[in-house]
Amino acid sequence: MKVEEDIRNAVAVMRKGGVILYPTDTIWGIGCDATNAEAVARVFDIKKRDDSKALICLVDSEARLQRYVMDVPNVAWDVMELADKPLTVVLDHAVNLAPNLIAEDGSIAMRITKEAFSKELCYRFQKPIVSTSANVSGEAAPQNFRDISEEILASVDYVCWSRRNEHKPHQPSKIIKIGGNGEVQIIRR
């Protein structure tokens, strides 16, 4: 299957409220429309995860990020620009997202992906895409497609074909929280 067809299929499933399994700029992710509360609830169910724990969203650009965070502090732009590896930034004042995706304090974890497949997927979808590791909570995050459990594979509506044959180390993103006053807190190194 060609990459373009794979992306078209994944986008069609998410537009109908479905859940996908897809390669990202870090590890394989479980994804859905970040503005669809029912789809987000399904992701929590698939992961067997308490919905009080936040999920990450991927976007394709700075412009898209600004549609879902009311006020991005200048230091956040600086940190994202300087990052040489995938960096997820937790920002205050999330808007226009599924309510069950936004943390109790009103924040959201967002990452601008630079990896070709996930960037094009986000661009074609035109909205943020949930991106949480393709595992049940508490289990090891899969480094490659071959490491994903049958339980997870069977629980989603579409499994992307692209990058299934990779066999190299992948790591989850680093996560930092940036408060409105520019205060930086490291969440995951």
Side-chain angles (χ1 to χ4, degrees), residues 71-79 89-93 176-186:
D71 184 32
V72 180
N74 287 334
V75 69
W77 296 119
D78 295 339
V79 169
V89 181
V90 179
L91 299 163
D92 293 332
H93 310 296
I176 61 171
K177 181 173 174 62
I178 300 179
N181 59 1
E183 179 180 305
V184 177
Q185 175 187 0
I186 297 171

Side-chain angles (χ1 to χ4, degrees), residues 13-63:
V13 167
M14 289 189 292
R15 284 194 176 132
K16 293 177 186 165
V19 175
I20 66 168
L21 192 62
Y22 69 111
T24 74
D25 54 340
T26 57
I27 58 180
W28 273 73
I30 300 171
C32 71
D33 178 349
T35 67
N36 182 324
E38 288 178 24
V40 170
R42 270 196 64 209
V43 171
F44 280 116
D45 287 345
I46 290 167
K47 286 193 63 77
K48 299 181 178 145
R49 184 172 180 170
D50 182 351
D51 65 7
S52 68
K53 294 197 174 191
L55 300 173
I56 294 169
C57 293
L58 287 188
V59 292
D60 64 316
S61 66
E62 292 84 0

Side-chain angles (χ1 to χ4, degrees), residues 7 14 18 29 65 78 91-92 96 103 128 130 144 148 150 159 165:
I7 288 172
M14 289 189 292
L65 184 138
D78 295 339
L91 299 163
D92 293 332
N96 305 319
V130 166
N144 292 287
I148 300 169
E150 286 299 322
V159 179
N165 294 324

Side-chain angles (χ1 to χ4, degrees), residues 148-169:
I148 300 169
S149 73
E150 286 299 322
E151 178 182 4
I152 294 294
L153 290 168
S155 64
V156 300
D157 303 306
Y158 183 75
V159 179
C160 289
W161 287 92
S162 299
R163 296 183 43 208
R164 283 191 187 189
N165 294 324
E166 282 184 359
H167 300 292
K168 59 184 182 178

